[in-house]
Amino acid sequence: VRKFGGQRAVLTGLSMAGPFLHSFLSWVGSQDPTWTSRHVHAFAPVGGPWNGAVMALSAVLGSALQTFSSEGLCPRCNPPRKSKDMPDPASRSIIDQFLAWLSSVTRGMVDEVLGQVVHTMPSMYYMSTGLDYSRDPPVDRNVLALEAGWSPLACHSPTSAACGAESTRDGTRFDDKGFLNTSQCAECYQSGSTSACFPGFDLASQGFNKSLCCRRLNCKMRTLKASEIPELLHNIGRHNEGAMMKFALQVVTTTDPGVPVHCILSHNVQTFSYLYSNTSADLDQESIVLDDGDQTVDALSLEVCTRWPSTVKTYRVPGVRHGSMYDIKQVNDIIVALATNDTDAWSAWMEPKISELIYTSNKSVAPPEELLLADPQGGVVELLV
């Protein structure tokens, strides 16, 4: 600013640069309330995950490799999303079955190592879904459904059994397949074949040398809000992760930053929007619900900046993948117009059709099968609240 004779700067950045700059603006405003008016002409974030991303939350809770997948349920996809055809295991050759097994084992090993890294990265918690303070009152959205319930920690050990299971996690089968109903899990231990079970435990499997004694515990379906994720992590014994998530929820990037904002975002690409799992003990096998977004950040997070009183204009670009926004000429036109103070240019900017987008890489725009609506009417897709 000093170099250019006091001409104020245009702040822009892709993805996490938006929340990072928001945090900076909040801090500098607390130190010097006049600093932004003297130094910032406009704030033009591109694809900002203002309220995090369900994809990041998925990596924290369950499988880090899952975030590289585009598989999931998509209730609002039109045309309906097609599931990949999976061959019947019985129809595959022994070699094919062996290679499939080897692939699953390798994936599990890689995911375990990658998960250990991801779970220690503060940015993953910073970028996980939190409370939306751009609404009044603030919205604490549902992010995870546990279909069979929040199972007690006692049901998470190798010798325990998941809700409704017919065997323990380490493979010991119950003599009665109906020992547990769908709303019950079990805390179990091995005992001598002639020993009686401890009070409160019932004989679940009678063996020649040893028997299995189990205590039935309740697990019920539960839907969790963003603010309840720290408690979930503590409940399953991941105390460090729970503390990190609790701290991250206190870092708010959904409030109005107090400078002129030009909100630039993509939409109409299938994106992680909701998670569901059998129980809290099975988060590494979580499933995904896809909805509107830019393939990385869900629309409910991207749209936060559209509600700020300081937002001058919102620019929606259809069908562009999150990391490719700066490859789109129409996006760069906005930045240039702001930087050159060409008010007529950015004021006249209108949302282009996908067929009108100008770009250099064919990977920048999502193919039709990755769009939420192949032929959206009226431009903006209605958001799920």
Side-chain angles (χ1 to χ4, degrees):
V1 173
R2 286 194 297 268
K3 182 178 179 180
F4 288 92
Q7 185 176 347
R8 293 175 299 164
V10 173
L11 303 179
T12 187
L14 176 67
S15 189
M16 290 174 65
F20 284 155
L21 283 169
H22 183 287
S23 294
F24 167 74
L25 292 170
S26 298
W27 171 81
V28 77
S30 68
Q31 304 299 307
D32 181 356
T34 67
W35 191 94
T36 54
S37 62
R38 290 184 286 110
H39 293 85
V40 179
H41 172 63
F43 180 25
V46 181
W50 306 110
N51 196 24
V54 175
M55 180 178 282
L57 179 62
S58 172
V60 169
L61 292 180
S63 168
L65 286 180
Q66 176 87 326
T67 61
F68 293 96
S69 171
S70 60
E71 288 301 301
L73 299 175
C74 189
R76 297 208 299 161
C77 278
N78 187 13
R81 184 182 177 91
K82 294 182 179 179
S83 299
K84 291 185 178 180
D85 294 329
M86 298 299 291
D88 182 358
S91 68
R92 296 185 293 178
S93 68
I94 293 178
I95 294 178
D96 287 339
Q97 293 183 51
F98 171 76
L99 291 176
W101 171 81
L102 183 62
S103 175
S104 66
V105 171
T106 303
R107 174 190 169 92
M109 294 173 63
V110 172
D111 202 20
E112 182 178 358
V113 173
L114 186 58
Q116 292 175 357
V117 175
V118 168
H119 296 164
T120 62
M121 295 172 61
S123 61
M124 297 303 294
Y125 299 84
Y126 179 62
M127 282 295 97
S128 292
T129 307
L131 277 69
D132 182 359
Y133 290 92
S134 70
R135 298 180 183 271
D136 186 17
V139 173
D140 187 7
R141 61 184 277 203
N142 295 330
V143 293
L144 172 67
L146 300 175
E147 296 181 314
W150 185 324
S151 59
L153 188 59
C155 293
H156 293 207
S157 69
T159 58
S160 69
C163 301
E166 297 178 0
S167 64
T168 61
R169 296 181 186 280
D170 59 7
T172 303
R173 302 192 68 81
F174 300 139
D175 291 342
D176 178 7
K177 291 183 178 181
F179 181 77
L180 296 177
N181 62 40
T182 56
S183 65
Q184 293 176 320
C185 63
E187 175 188 7
C188 304
Y189 71 92
Q190 299 282 358
S191 71
S193 59
T194 59
S195 301
C197 295
F198 295 148
F201 288 77
D202 297 314
L203 182 66
S205 177
Q206 178 72 58
F208 181 73
N209 294 320
K210 55 185 178 180
S211 298
L212 183 72
C213 295
C214 297
R215 177 169 63 119
R216 297 176 182 88
L217 299 170
N218 292 327
C219 45
K220 298 180 181 179
M221 183 175 179
R222 181 170 177 181
T223 300
L224 300 181
K225 297 182 179 297
S227 65
E228 296 175 305
I229 298 300
E231 182 185 357
L232 168 65
L233 291 169
H234 282 295
N235 177 265
I236 60 178
R238 294 171 56 183
H239 302 295
N240 289 337
E241 289 95 327
M244 292 175 72
M245 185 66 77
K246 183 178 180 179
F247 178 82
L249 287 172
Q250 300 172 21
V251 182
V252 177
T253 58
T254 55
T255 54
D256 191 327
V259 297
V261 176
H262 292 259
C263 176
I264 306 170
L265 57 95
S266 174
H267 70 105
N268 197 35
V269 187
Q270 297 170 25
T271 307
F272 285 40
S273 66
Y274 190 71
L275 308 174
Y276 64 98
S277 179
N278 183 37
T279 73
S280 55
D282 306 299
L283 294 176
D284 58 340
Q285 302 172 40
E286 65 191 6
S287 298
I288 310 300
V289 176
L290 303 168
D291 204 82
D292 192 19
D294 64 9
Q295 201 170 65
T296 298
V297 183
D298 52 280
L300 289 174
S301 181
L302 291 167
E303 292 277 342
V304 163
C305 58
T306 69
R307 292 187 288 274
W308 292 334
S310 295
T311 295
V312 180
K313 184 171 180 176
T314 297
Y315 311 79
R316 293 182 176 87
V317 186
V320 178
R321 289 171 167 151
H322 179 76
S324 301
M325 286 288 279
Y326 279 133
D327 187 43
I328 307 300
K329 180 181 182 299
Q330 286 89 339
V331 172
N332 290 296
D333 287 344
I334 301 166
I335 307 301
V336 171
L338 292 171
T340 58
N341 208 23
D342 189 346
T343 304
D344 291 340
W346 63 255
S347 296
W349 192 97
M350 297 179 64
E351 178 175 343
K353 297 178 181 178
I354 292 180
S355 59
E356 297 171 338
L357 295 175
I358 301 172
Y359 47 88
T360 60
S361 172
N362 290 331
K363 295 183 178 180
S364 295
V365 177
E369 62 269 19
E370 294 179 6
L371 298 178
L372 182 66
L373 304 180
D375 186 21
Q377 300 296 319
V380 179
V381 179
E382 182 181 356
L383 296 180
L384 291 178
V385 178

